């Protein structure tokens, strides 16, 4: 471990200041990545320097490896779709090795492809795994992201569809909840009956 990483790990106040700085940088990166009217030139200038050559990107529909594929996908995402992103919570955790960390973002991806009809709110969890670089300093953090994962709630996707969402939330989920409780109660009765039957045989 380098002297600066050792110093950071042994001084909570400095570590807290450093994590706050990382949170600001990740917040900026998230807004650039998920606000799709951001120009491609700005993405290349302010996001790509943080992307590792061996980055892995993963979401419920795809997985890709490598910085070049990430660059093309990032720009294509902005060209093809219309999104904004509301960050509800962002947290940074440095790992015990003092060299890597994890950023988790809880937010809502607002799909505005057909905003003249409806803005689709998609609850999303973003996870960025990163490594600190050797030229790290206290005043200017430098890191690279080697894994970027998106997780979406399929239930929220259904819930957000006009009409269908109302049926799903107010009828299907309510009905399925009572059905599950009923089956659970039946399983408890059968389980208890089996135990009593076993005790009688003994």
């Amino acid at each position: 471990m380098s002297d600066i990483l050792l110093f950071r790990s042994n001084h909570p106040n400095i570590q807290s200041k450093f994590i706050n700085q990382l949170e600001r940088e990740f917040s900026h990166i998230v807004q650039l990545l998920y606000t799709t009217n951001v120009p491609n030139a700005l993405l290349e200038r302010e996001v790509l320097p943080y992307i590792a050559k061996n980055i892995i990107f993963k979401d419920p529909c795809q997985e890709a490896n490598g910085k070049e594929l990430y660059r093309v996908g990032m720009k294509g995402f902005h060209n093809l779709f219309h999104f904004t992103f509301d960050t509800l919570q962002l947290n940074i955790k440095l790992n015990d090795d003092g060299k890597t960390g994890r950023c988790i973002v809880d937010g809502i991806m607002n799909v505005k492809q057909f905003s003249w009809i409806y803005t689709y709110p998609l609850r999303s969890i973003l996870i960025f795994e990163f490594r600190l670089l050797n030229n790290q300093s206290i005043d200017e953090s430098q890191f690279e992201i080697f894994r970027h994962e998106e997780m979406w709630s399929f239930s929220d996707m259904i819930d957000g569809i006009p009409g269908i969402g109302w049926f799903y939330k107010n009828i299907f989920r309510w009905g399925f909840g009572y059905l599950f409780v009923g089956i659970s109660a039946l399983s408890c009765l059968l389980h208890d009956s089996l135990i009593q039957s076993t005790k009688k045989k003994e």
Side-chain angles (χ1 to χ4, degrees):
M1 183 185 294
S2 66
D3 292 341
I4 187 63
L5 293 178
L6 183 61
F7 180 66
R8 187 180 298 120
S9 66
N10 289 334
H11 291 75
N13 290 338
I14 293 178
Q15 187 179 79
S16 178
K17 178 182 176 182
F18 177 68
I19 289 176
N20 288 338
Q21 182 177 340
L22 288 176
E23 288 177 346
R24 289 193 297 271
E25 292 182 70
F26 269 102
S27 179
H28 182 59
I29 290 170
V30 166
Q31 287 305 313
L32 290 174
L33 284 173
Y34 292 94
T35 303
T36 52
N37 62 357
V38 171
N40 284 332
L42 185 60
L43 289 173
E44 296 225 6
R45 184 170 67 250
E46 298 197 16
V47 174
L48 277 187
Y50 291 99
I51 304 303
K53 290 182 178 180
N54 63 337
I55 188 170
I56 296 173
F57 175 80
K58 185 177 181 181
D59 71 15
C61 299
Q62 62 179 318
E63 182 171 344
N65 301 345
K67 186 171 185 175
E68 182 58 26
L69 290 179
Y70 187 93
R71 182 184 72 84
V72 174
M74 174 183 69
K75 293 169 69 174
F77 177 75
H78 282 63
N79 294 336
L80 295 170
F81 299 102
H82 186 193
F83 284 90
T84 60
F85 192 86
D86 297 327
T87 299
L88 303 178
Q89 185 174 350
L90 186 150
N91 180 259
I92 299 281
K93 181 181 181 299
L94 295 179
N95 296 328
D96 293 338
D97 61 10
K99 299 177 182 178
T100 59
R102 188 171 184 264
C103 173
I104 182 168
V105 183
D106 176 11
I108 297 175
M109 198 183 299
N110 301 295
V111 185
K112 297 188 175 182
Q113 204 76 4
F114 305 102
S115 59
W116 50 280
I117 299 176
Y118 182 66
T119 296
Y120 189 96
L122 179 59
R123 180 73 178 272
S124 305
I125 301 294
L126 312 175
I127 299 204
F128 299 92
E129 295 184 49
F130 61 92
R131 64 175 66 94
L132 303 177
L133 302 178
N134 291 332
N135 57 347
Q136 190 73 35
S137 70
I138 297 174
D139 297 323
E140 183 180 359
S141 67
Q142 296 182 35
F143 60 88
E144 60 179 11
I145 299 165
F146 62 86
R147 183 179 178 87
H148 174 188
E149 183 172 1
E150 294 177 7
M151 291 177 281
W152 317 321
S153 169
F154 280 103
S155 66
D156 283 355
M157 289 179 69
I158 299 171
D159 192 31
I161 301 173
I164 295 175
W166 182 91
F167 176 83
Y168 173 74
K169 180 171 60 176
N170 295 288
I171 297 178
F172 176 82
R173 294 181 76 172
W174 180 85
F176 188 86
Y178 276 95
L179 176 64
F180 179 78
V181 170
I183 293 173
S184 298
L186 179 61
S187 72
C188 291
L189 288 174
L190 292 174
H191 180 265
D192 293 344
S193 176
L194 180 61
I195 290 176
Q196 292 298 326
S197 177
T198 302
K199 285 182 178 180
K200 288 179 180 179
K201 289 180 180 179
E202 293 176 351

